[in-house]
Amino acid sequence: MSSAAVARVVAPSGETSAAAEIVEKFLVASMVPDPETAARYIAEPLKLTFTGGRSFTHPRESTAFNAKRYKWVKKAMERSDVVPGVGETIVYNIGTLYGEWPDGTTFEGNRYVDRFVVRGGKIVQMDVWNDSAERILTRNGIDA
């Protein structure tokens, strides 16, 4: 078997648990919302890809986007799955969103998955997926 076919296995370490803690602190600050405190946990420029493929480079940009989409929104974090890697740690934070749409209608149980790449104690990448678009379609009577 060639050496190219052998995957390197990286065991969990203090770095992987620290990465999960960094992600949680970032998310808590983001929910306030306090994008400047959230920015303490990122490397600039952050590569942040939001739902619909929207790209941002700083938490203040995603906070501004959320202010248009929701009257307010919070995360009910269920768990973080941590994947150690070579020189980086991947953290998946999974849960549901709850809050209010701009018209004041409340919602809950809106599934989300946030994927983070943490290097050197800072978040360098974040990818966001959730069911908001599906819920907006349903609210507008579109069964697609």
Side-chain angles (χ1 to χ4, degrees):
M1 182 183 320
S2 75
S3 62
V6 177
R8 181 172 173 196
V9 176
V10 180
S13 66
E15 187 176 317
T16 54
S17 59
E21 189 174 320
I22 289 163
V23 164
E24 186 171 319
K25 287 178 180 179
F26 171 86
L27 289 172
V28 168
S30 296
M31 283 190 286
V32 170
D34 182 354
E36 298 314 313
T37 296
R40 294 178 190 166
Y41 304 102
I42 68 164
E44 291 192 49
L46 173 67
K47 183 182 176 196
L48 198 170
T49 305
F50 236 55
T51 57
R54 293 167 182 88
S55 295
F56 305 115
T57 59
H58 193 278
R60 78 176 76 84
E61 296 169 340
S62 55
T63 297
F65 172 77
N66 276 340
K68 291 187 279 185
R69 179 171 272 198
Y70 310 103
K71 192 171 196 177
W72 63 270
V73 64
K74 305 289 182 204
K75 292 179 187 268
M77 292 185 264
E78 294 175 10
R79 71 176 198 266
S80 288
D81 297 334
V82 182
V83 182
V86 178
E88 66 185 22
T89 301
I90 309 301
V91 179
Y92 291 91
N93 184 271
I94 300 164
T96 58
L97 303 175
Y98 63 97
E100 284 185 42
W101 299 112
D103 69 1
T105 304
T106 60
F107 66 89
E108 62 183 359
N110 181 342
R111 301 174 309 157
Y112 77 86
V113 175
D114 293 341
R115 180 187 182 271
F116 295 85
V117 179
V118 180
R119 287 188 200 121
K122 297 284 187 177
I123 298 166
V124 299
Q125 182 178 335
M126 177 183 181
D127 297 287
V128 176
W129 296 275
N130 64 54
D131 285 338
S132 291
E134 293 297 321
R135 289 172 172 246
I136 291 168
L137 287 171
T138 300
R139 284 176 44 90
N140 288 300
I142 301 169
D143 184 22

